[in-house]
Amino acid sequence: MSFKRVFSGFRDVPRPPKNLFSVIGPGAIISAMAIGAGELILWPNLVTQHGYGLLWLIPIALIVQYFWLVESSRWTVLTGESWIQGSGRIPGRGIWVSLWLASMTVSLIWPGWAVASAAAFWVFTGGSNSPLDLRIWGIITYLISVIALAIPRYVFTGLYIASAISLIIFNAGLILSTIIVAINNPSTLVDALSGLVSFGTVPQGVDMRLLASAIAWAGLGAMGNAFYSLLVRDRGWGMAKYIGRIPGILGKPTTISQLGYLPKIGSNNNAEKLKRWIKILESEAFYLFFIPSLLSLFLFTYLAGALLHPMFLRGELTIEDLSGIKAVIMQSKFFEVLVGPIGLYMYLILAIFVLWSTQIGILDAMSRTWADTLSVYFRSFRNMGIRKVYLIFLAIFTTVGLVIIGNGLFQYQPVELIKLGAYLGMIQQIISIPVTIVINHMLVPKELRRVAGVRLAFSGALSLGVILYAISFIAAL
């Protein structure tokens, strides 16, 4: 089409590896970030107040997220360019790119995860008797996040390790806790499973902004899908192998290619290799994003409904409790059923780590997106090298986060911080899904497009997401 910009050229498709462990990782990072957002905080909050009647929204939201992840990153596998760069090929490039950068920053810059992690740390070290003020713990956890991102040879490495550990440990604990609770009270599991198919049920008195935020953060959402495409590119999937990746302080300086490459279809078995890369994308997103996200989100909400909802009904928990530090303490009951009172400390340790790893991901998402986008479109940033630009933006966002934490904004109400980010991010979701459809229907060369039936199925799922997000957004006004 006339609005397609040129590519760097045509190249052979890199051979997909036989050992998939050498390329997987983006799905695990997104899943771990999702645990610290909607799964650890927002959805348990909803279920504690209203029971299992809203669980039917979880699989719907995650299905939309799965199709969105795959479609937004398919462009990256085919060309090596990020989703944001692909959207920049639509008329009005400056408007689109500026919109994504602004909406991502506004929705993610609030350090709600660092505040929640600091709250867990503060409680673990004695609460009001802690040797350090809550703000100091927040600053410490934030700075550790920066170090974990900046030091490894490649930024992706530190992020992947933190995410994989949090996924494995936390889900193992949740599974064991669920088994114990379900054995002692089987009816709660039946009620939770029934909630998954109670389509259309919305209990009276639901905080629609909280519900909209939970839907937005199910499976991370917001700019998480654009971030996923950047992780796919950094991992070198398909044509992204030719683009470059972001090194840490100890890594060698590199540059990011300004334009992507198109595969040479019709030679060297490139079409078949490309199909295998797309299969890797679809499988990784399903097995490392969709399944873990569905499992952990269901387990969190099941335990909240079984253990915390009765306490809320008895008046032992209030809505204010669920927005503040006490929410972190109450959720420790998820692990108390395993080992007794010591479960409080086990849960706090894991919550500290999970929320901290989420904050790492959020910081990386903002820094990576700004550094990558400006390096692609501005020669002055490109000449600086992607590592230097990345570290500059990491320092900027770290400073802003520390100012927010240090000034005690929102009076340490982590749920309110996260709700604010999610609600603002939903605006971006409503706009970006149609853009994703345009990229895959109009920008992808005809010979690389999906067959009509599959394309229709993906577009239908994404259109369902637009409707879901729009209804949620309007209801929360």
Side-chain angles (χ1 to χ4, degrees):
M1 295 185 65
S2 59
F3 57 79
K4 289 182 183 176
R5 295 188 300 128
V6 296
F7 288 85
S8 295
F10 293 86
R11 301 189 70 167
D12 286 327
V13 178
R15 187 177 301 278
K18 295 181 180 179
N19 179 15
L20 295 182
F21 286 101
S22 64
V23 294
I24 63 174
I29 292 173
I30 295 296
S31 294
M33 291 171 66
I35 288 179
E39 298 174 21
L40 184 64
I41 296 177
L42 297 179
W43 278 99
N45 190 319
L46 272 174
V47 173
T48 297
Q49 294 183 53
H50 305 289
Y52 297 124
L54 292 166
L55 293 196
W56 59 276
L57 284 165
I58 291 176
I60 293 177
L62 288 177
I63 287 172
V64 171
Q65 290 289 326
Y66 169 76
F67 281 105
W68 194 4
L69 276 184
V70 171
E71 287 299 88
S72 62
S73 297
R74 189 171 185 271
W75 172 263
T76 305
V77 173
L78 295 176
T79 68
E81 295 183 351
S82 70
W83 176 86
I84 292 180
Q85 196 173 350
S87 71
R89 292 176 175 268
I90 300 173
R93 179 179 72 194
I95 296 175
W96 292 116
V97 173
S98 299
L99 175 64
W100 308 139
L101 291 176
S103 63
M104 176 206 64
T105 305
V106 170
S107 63
L108 296 182
I109 201 168
W110 313 100
W113 302 271
V115 172
S117 179
F121 229 130
W122 183 71
V123 173
F124 183 81
T125 56
S128 58
N129 295 319
S130 176
L132 296 177
D133 180 79
L134 181 53
R135 284 187 238 193
I136 302 300
W137 282 122
I139 292 171
I140 290 173
T141 55
Y142 213 67
L143 291 177
I144 293 175
S145 300
V146 177
I147 294 172
L149 282 174
I151 295 301
R153 182 181 178 187
Y154 289 105
V155 171
F156 183 94
T157 304
L159 190 57
Y160 180 34
I161 291 174
S163 301
I165 293 174
S166 65
L167 271 178
I168 294 171
I169 295 177
F170 218 91
N171 276 330
L174 288 176
I175 290 172
L176 291 174
S177 296
T178 296
I179 292 173
I180 293 174
V181 173
I183 290 175
N184 291 327
N185 194 352
S187 63
T188 56
L189 184 58
V190 174
D191 291 341
L193 293 173
S194 298
L196 289 175
V197 294
S198 299
F199 300 106
T201 301
V202 179
Q204 290 185 345
V206 171
D207 179 346
M208 293 306 300
R209 182 162 291 190
L210 175 62
L211 178 58
S213 302
I215 292 172
W217 281 120
L220 191 58
M223 283 296 288
N225 302 284
F227 178 46
Y228 184 79
S229 80
L230 287 169
L231 293 173
V232 165
R233 200 199 60 189
D234 208 59
R235 201 60 162 156
W237 291 6
M239 303 305 290
K241 186 76 172 179
Y242 299 115
I243 304 300
R245 59 191 305 194
I246 300 177
I249 292 176
L250 300 181
K252 296 180 179 179
T254 59
T255 57
I256 299 295
S257 176
Q258 183 181 7
L259 297 171
Y261 294 88
L262 289 176
K264 294 179 180 178
I265 300 299
S267 63
N268 295 330
N269 204 28
N270 283 326
E272 184 59 32
K273 288 188 289 186
L274 201 57
K275 288 181 180 178
R276 288 169 58 191
W277 277 114
I278 295 298
K279 184 66 175 178
I280 289 174
L281 167 64
E282 295 172 346
S283 299
E284 207 255 9
F286 183 78
Y287 291 109
L288 287 186
F289 164 72
F290 180 78
I291 294 299
S293 295
L294 182 60
L295 175 65
S296 58
L297 192 45
F298 176 75
L299 294 179
F300 269 117
T301 52
Y302 167 67
L303 291 172
L307 300 175
L308 301 185
H309 182 55
M311 296 176 61
F312 184 81
L313 294 178
R314 293 193 300 266
E316 298 172 17
L317 280 175
T318 66
I319 293 178
E320 289 71 24
D321 292 333
L322 298 175
S323 296
I325 295 172
K326 191 173 180 180
V328 177
I329 302 174
M330 288 298 99
Q331 288 181 5
S332 68
K333 292 187 178 295
F334 295 174
F335 280 23
E336 281 189 31
V337 298
L338 280 175
V339 291
I342 197 175
L344 166 65
Y345 298 99
M346 291 176 57
Y347 180 85
L348 289 174
I349 291 173
L350 293 174
I352 290 167
F353 187 78
V354 169
L355 291 163
W356 170 73
S357 66
T358 298
Q359 189 64 69
I360 291 178
I362 296 297
L363 277 172
D364 178 67
M366 293 190 293
S367 305
R368 181 184 297 269
T369 304
W370 273 91
D372 179 88
T373 303
L374 295 185
S375 295
V376 165
Y377 292 117
F378 295 94
R379 184 185 300 274
S380 57
F381 285 98
R382 194 159 56 249
N383 291 340
M384 291 172 62
I386 189 66
R387 179 177 65 179
K388 183 178 292 185
V389 179
Y390 175 89
L391 293 175
I392 288 173
F393 278 101
L394 181 61
I396 292 173
F397 292 127
T398 299
T399 301
V400 173
L402 291 175
V403 169
I404 293 174
I405 295 173
N407 282 279
L409 297 185
F410 293 87
Q411 298 181 338
Y412 301 115
Q413 299 296 301
V415 175
E416 295 303 318
L417 283 169
I418 293 172
K419 281 169 59 178
L420 175 62
Y423 192 66
L424 294 171
M426 186 169 281
I427 301 173
Q428 178 269 332
Q429 290 174 304
I430 295 170
I431 300 173
S432 63
I433 289 181
V435 170
T436 302
I437 294 175
V438 169
I439 291 174
N440 284 281
H441 281 237
M442 302 176 69
L443 296 186
V444 171
K446 290 183 178 180
E447 64 273 17
L448 298 177
R449 294 175 188 172
R450 297 184 185 275
V451 296
V454 176
R455 207 160 63 236
L456 180 62
F458 272 75
S459 298
L462 293 176
S463 298
L464 174 64
V466 173
I467 295 172
L468 174 64
Y469 297 139
I471 292 175
S472 301
F473 180 82
I474 292 171
L477 290 175

